[in-house]
Amino acid sequence: MTSLICFGGVDEIGGNKILLEDKSTRVWLDFGMGFGTAANFYSEFIGPKKCNGIGDYIALGLAPDLKGLYRQDYLKKMKRKEEEKEFDAILLTHAHFDHNGYFNLLRPDIPVYCSKGSECVMKMLDATSFTSEFLREKKSFTLVPKKRGDGLKRLDARDPEGVVEREVVAVNKKFSIGSLEVTPLPVDHSLPGALAYAIETSKGTIIYSGDFRFHGLNEEKTRKFVEKASAFEPECMICEGTRIDSENTETEQDVYEAVTGFCKDSQALVITNYPVRDTDRMATFKKAAEDNERKLVVSLKQAFLLKEFEQAGEPAPKLSEVNVYIPRKTWGLITEEIDWQYVLGDYDPWEYEFLQEKNAVTCKQLNENQEEFVWRCDFFELKELIDVKPGKTTKYVWSVTEPFDTKMELNQQIVMNWLNHFNINDVIHKHVSGHANGQDIKETIQTIKPKKLIPVHTEHAKDFQKLANCILPEKAEKIEL
Ligand SMILES: [Zn+2]
Ligand SMILES: [Zn+2]
């Protein structure tokens, strides 16, 4: 018996949590957060209560109530009996939150299969944020004996025993899980390391597209995916359809050309915001900057990501070829003439290695040499404008997606307020999506020719009905193959 159940990604963009069962093998295809569904209940200031473990997620239908799936410390807190592991693996397509956002709830002994690139991205997130638990879970609700004196204390994540590493298998060629043979197929997307999968089951091959596009810097990856997927003569294809209704044909090259032209002949600072983990967009800005004899300035988090990629031998811009912005933190000692040991006190240990490098720049250097840089300044870094003091003819490139909910609209207004306050009026919006348009999706399906087609990750599932023998999934309903 082979079946699929979509616990997320149905009539919404993202939140993919698809359970594949083949004989006694049970694997998850992604385990993401559905932004739309979560936003029905939660916002910046209201979220699930940690003391309920996974209880709040289940109560609101954000995660399925299944045995043998969730982390033991949370279950224990919920007074649920100890459970045996009941799932063999999670096949992660890529490290966007709508595909891995609920990893923090899962048992760490269910191995995650993903690309090296996805592993690097998750490592960066875990290392640079105290709350991130993609690959390292912090044991919660655990008391341990005090080191000194009697009694117990709460186990702390800083304690080596306070962290459980998740099992991760970085894959780049065919592998087996129980009755399944799985072939990872790299695709181009707005995040490095994105994969599709061909999964050979006892009822034929399932192609799972993940998120993909043809208009990025690595179009050939997606072309190869289509060719290889088609050679499997698949029984079924689970296909994303974020932009099935879009006819926009703009490419990453268009972004590069627009940005290069915009920077030309400018004697002032160029400021931009683009998605933090999109190393291809970073490459676009780096090239546009260099064409105008400027250097791109990235954030500390991006520097960490580039270091991870370099160490793993994964393609991405070289850390030594960009500058890294070092913000003034807590005591603001980085711009003062003071012994280095005191400066370190302002920063987290993961940041230390970037602070004294040749490519480090502070607000002082940005301020004094504005025409030499293209500076990435995201929403959270807007406050740096006060220290950087951008000059009169400063330009701004807005290179992220259009706001699609009220919170994003509000944040966009805040960005505009900052720009207006500093008289930055020369602004362009240039961005392309990580998702294929309608025509590209249509051609993909017509070339791969699956016998059955299951649309996910879309608000327009019905548009797929004319493309193949389409099964519209219902949330938590079993589809027999
Ligand atoms: Zn997605
Ligand atoms: Zn994605």
Side-chain angles (χ1 to χ4, degrees):
M1 225 172 65
T2 308
S3 66
L4 291 162
I5 308 176
C6 297
F7 287 100
V10 178
D11 296 325
E12 63 174 335
I13 293 174
N16 293 17
K17 290 181 273 298
I18 304 167
L19 177 60
L20 163 62
E21 297 176 283
D22 183 66
K23 296 180 179 169
S24 60
T25 304
R26 305 176 84 201
V27 303
W28 287 94
L29 311 180
D30 291 329
F31 204 83
M33 177 198 290
F35 295 134
T37 333
N40 287 336
F41 304 103
Y42 294 132
S43 76
E44 207 174 339
F45 302 106
I46 167 171
K49 296 186 299 299
K50 173 132 185 173
C51 63
N52 274 354
I54 52 156
D56 289 9
Y57 298 88
I58 289 173
L60 296 174
L62 301 177
D65 189 2
L66 298 174
K67 281 219 165 73
L69 177 60
Y70 297 110
R71 50 195 283 186
Q72 207 57 50
D73 53 350
Y74 281 14
L75 295 182
K76 199 170 157 195
K77 179 73 181 160
M78 297 164 69
K79 310 263 185 284
R80 267 168 62 159
K81 280 195 202 118
E82 193 156 330
E83 297 175 359
E84 292 287 311
K85 178 170 89 168
E86 295 207 12
F87 299 90
D88 300 286
I90 300 148
L91 304 183
L92 174 68
T93 55
H94 63 289
H96 272 149
F97 292 166
D98 59 324
H99 297 257
N100 69 354
Y102 286 153
F103 272 23
N104 61 315
L105 307 177
L106 299 173
R107 295 175 69 105
D109 58 354
I110 304 175
V112 170
Y113 292 75
C114 63
S115 68
K116 196 78 201 163
S118 292
E119 187 183 9
C120 289
V121 172
M122 291 188 285
K123 269 192 186 167
M124 180 277 275
L125 292 166
D126 283 351
T128 61
S129 157
F130 186 71
T131 53
S132 173
E133 293 182 282
F134 290 102
L135 301 182
R136 320 178 68 224
E137 283 185 2
K138 295 162 187 162
K139 273 193 220 167
S140 301
F141 317 119
T142 308
L143 293 171
V144 289
K146 279 184 182 167
K147 288 221 167 68
R148 285 192 206 103
D150 298 332
L152 300 170
K153 63 165 187 125
R154 292 178 183 206
L155 183 59
D156 193 292
R158 280 166 294 193
D159 197 314
E161 282 170 25
V163 170
V164 191
E165 304 281 342
R166 186 178 299 290
E167 274 184 49
V168 181
V169 187
V171 291
N172 61 8
K173 52 179 189 281
K174 195 168 185 166
F175 56 94
S176 313
I177 304 169
S179 59
L180 306 172
E181 294 277 303
V182 185
T183 308
L185 301 168
V187 287
D188 188 44
H189 183 43
S190 50
L191 190 74
L195 295 177
Y197 287 103
I199 308 159
E200 294 169 77
T201 75
S202 50
K203 283 278 178 66
T205 301
I206 297 171
I207 303 295
Y208 176 41
S209 72
D211 291 353
F212 67 99
R213 66 175 174 186
F214 294 88
H215 55 265
L217 298 181
N218 300 290
E219 176 193 350
E220 74 291 347
K221 279 189 188 173
T222 315
R223 302 246 168 251
K224 244 184 221 161
F225 150 66
V226 174
E227 194 187 308
K228 287 189 175 168
S230 139
F232 278 99
E233 297 179 9
E235 182 63 26
C236 172
M237 177 171 179
I238 306 165
C239 186
E240 74 119 327
T242 314
R243 291 209 306 143
I244 185 83
D245 62 333
S246 169
E247 291 174 0
N248 187 316
T249 55
E250 280 188 306
T251 66
E252 189 68 27
Q253 179 68 16
D254 294 330
V255 177
Y256 160 73
E257 278 163 21
V259 175
T260 308
F262 189 63
C263 297
K264 218 174 175 133
D265 303 328
S266 167
Q267 299 302 312
L269 183 61
V270 175
I271 304 176
T272 178
N273 184 20
Y274 58 84
V276 60
R277 284 158 278 149
D278 186 349
T279 48
D280 283 354
R281 183 60 51 79
M282 190 197 288
T284 293
F285 273 92
K286 177 174 176 282
K287 193 156 174 260
E290 287 165 358
D291 287 355
N292 285 285
E293 287 162 15
R294 289 169 182 254
K295 291 284 285 288
L296 178 66
V297 184
V298 304
S299 67
L300 279 161
K301 280 191 183 189
Q302 290 183 313
F304 192 97
L305 185 63
L306 294 185
K307 182 199 75 175
E308 285 293 325
F309 270 80
E310 219 157 299
Q311 283 173 356
E314 289 290 300
K318 290 262 166 303
L319 179 55
S320 57
E321 293 173 4
V322 294
N323 285 98
V324 181
Y325 184 71
I326 316 293
R328 296 167 74 235
K329 290 173 76 178
T330 59
W331 287 26
L333 300 181
I334 190 84
T335 48
E336 294 179 21
E337 302 281 323
I338 193 163
D339 195 296
W340 196 249
Q341 59 171 318
Y342 301 112
V343 177
L344 289 182
D346 276 352
Y347 295 91
D348 291 328
W350 70 266
E351 296 171 313
Y352 292 170
E353 62 184 300
F354 306 108
L355 304 178
Q356 277 184 299
E357 288 297 318
K358 276 206 304 282
N359 61 350
V361 294
T362 63
C363 55
K364 199 162 173 275
Q365 283 133 306
L366 268 193
N367 171 262
E368 287 166 2
N369 308 285
Q370 305 209 4
E371 71 292 350
E372 291 179 16
F373 299 110
V374 172
W375 171 43
R376 180 186 177 276
C377 167
D378 71 16
F379 183 75
F380 305 100
E381 292 165 314
L382 287 168
K383 57 192 180 198
E384 297 301 314
L385 287 169
I386 294 169
D387 295 339
V388 170
K389 301 182 183 66
K392 259 190 205 150
T393 49
T394 293
K395 295 183 173 207
Y396 184 85
V397 187
W398 183 41
S399 195
V400 292
T401 187
E402 295 269 2
F404 51 78
D405 59 32
T406 42
K407 187 182 153 203
M408 287 172 84
E409 276 167 16
L410 208 66
N411 287 350
Q412 192 199 348
Q413 187 53 53
I414 291 174
V415 175
M416 294 316 293
N417 294 344
W418 278 89
L419 298 183
N420 289 338
H421 184 83
F422 285 93
N423 296 313
I424 302 170
N425 303 312
D426 208 354
V427 178
I428 56 164
H429 180 217
K430 203 70 198 171
H431 174 70
V432 291
S433 161
H435 305 274
N437 65 19
Q439 183 61 25
D440 285 343
I441 293 175
K442 187 175 156 191
E443 284 170 18
T444 298
I445 291 165
Q446 285 171 345
T447 311
I448 294 177
K449 293 193 191 73
K451 293 189 188 73
K452 299 183 185 101
L453 175 65
I454 303 176
V456 295
H457 201 291
T458 179
E459 291 170 337
H460 304 281
K462 286 190 175 149
D463 289 3
F464 281 79
Q465 283 176 312
K466 52 185 182 283
L467 303 179
N469 174 23
C470 184
I471 302 170
L472 296 182
E474 302 252 2
K475 194 171 175 182
E477 291 288 321
K478 191 176 266 195
I479 300 169
E480 301 281 358
L481 288 191

